[in-house]
Amino acid sequence: MINLSCILGYVKVGVLAVQGDVQEHLDILEKAIASLGFSAKATRIRRKQDLEEASALIIPGGESTTIARLLQQNYLFDPVLKRAEEGMPIMGTCAGCILMAKEGDEEVERTQTRLLSLMDMAVARNAFGRQRESFEADLTISGLSGDFRGVFIRAPAITRVWGDCFVLSRLEDTIVMARQEARFGLTFHPELWGDARIHEIFLESI
Ligand code: GLN
């Protein structure tokens, strides 16, 4: 496939822009691109053609059932799977992390949310309960020196990983970040604290 961004001399890093906190990811991506000195551009992915031109994809937080439905309505669901199969790096954060999983919980089942099933992991929606709907926590993340401030908003939990999927961070006993090759699942929002280091790790996987 001819990748236009390669001809133009820079890579496009896409943020799925059907619902959720898209702009925040675009902003922090630009910051990560600048600090790595990459020849890249952060772009919105709304159509199949946008996806074809991108070299990596972020699926943001929002509402997983809605994002899954809009992926299908916009004819993006199968193209995302195809690009993933070709090795495109994909990072799912919060709702996006739910969609990356192979297994959901009863809530995923009840809402008939179609998962992309790209990572060997199981997730549970809204796993931190009402008391802790939104909170922040300092996280230790493998490969990063120093803590990373994680922002959790009605966050899911990764309840189990298997196969080639491995844990990058836990909050107490709960898995909050995992990686499988160039696929990442984060139950928190890495785009909200102004710290671009997780987006830098993601860019380095391209
Ligand atoms: N609770 C949302 C869901 O289950 C995810 C929340 C978020 O992305 N901040 O889809």
Side-chain angles (χ1 to χ4, degrees), residues 20 44 101 106 125 136 174 203:
R44 289 170 195 267
E106 319 77 65
R125 288 180 76 173
E136 295 161 16
T174 306
L203 288 174

Side-chain angles (χ1 to χ4, degrees), residues 118-179:
L118 292 171
M119 293 176 70
D120 293 333
M121 63 183 190
V123 291
R125 288 180 76 173
N126 304 316
F128 290 90
R130 285 208 167 273
Q131 258 86 49
R132 295 181 83 191
E133 274 215 336
S134 297
F135 61 97
E136 295 161 16
D138 286 325
L139 303 170
T140 304
I141 293 171
S142 301
L144 281 190
S145 58
D147 288 347
F148 189 95
R149 191 81 172 158
V151 179
F152 293 79
I153 304 170
R154 283 173 285 107
I158 298 169
T159 50
R160 196 163 70 86
V161 298
W162 64 92
D164 296 328
C165 186
F166 59 91
V167 174
L168 289 181
S169 184
R170 285 178 204 268
L171 176 61
E172 290 148 24
D173 288 335
T174 306
I175 304 168
V176 295
M177 181 169 176
R179 176 175 187 168

Side-chain angles (χ1 to χ4, degrees), residues 61-64 94-95 98 125-126 153-154 189:
E63 217 278 322
S64 50
C94 207
I98 296 169
R125 288 180 76 173
N126 304 316
I153 304 170
R154 283 173 285 107
H189 289 255

Side-chain angles (χ1 to χ4, degrees), residues 58-153:
I58 292 177
I59 305 176
E63 217 278 322
S64 50
T65 307
T66 307
I67 295 176
R69 210 184 50 233
L70 291 172
L71 270 173
Q72 291 169 87
Q73 274 176 20
N74 295 337
Y75 307 102
L76 280 167
F77 199 98
D78 293 328
V80 168
L81 295 182
K82 183 165 169 280
R83 293 303 316 272
E85 207 172 289
E86 291 166 1
M88 182 169 79
I90 305 183
M91 176 162 81
T93 66
C94 207
C97 178
I98 296 169
L99 299 182
M100 293 297 279
K102 285 200 177 156
E103 263 180 33
D105 60 354
E106 319 77 65
E107 191 57 16
V108 169
E109 204 141 294
R110 191 185 63 76
T111 52
Q112 297 185 338
T113 303
R114 188 174 166 208
L115 303 181
L116 289 163
S117 300
L118 292 171
M119 293 176 70
D120 293 333
M121 63 183 190
V123 291
R125 288 180 76 173
N126 304 316
F128 290 90
R130 285 208 167 273
Q131 258 86 49
R132 295 181 83 191
E133 274 215 336
S134 297
F135 61 97
E136 295 161 16
D138 286 325
L139 303 170
T140 304
I141 293 171
S142 301
L144 281 190
S145 58
D147 288 347
F148 189 95
R149 191 81 172 158
V151 179
F152 293 79
I153 304 170

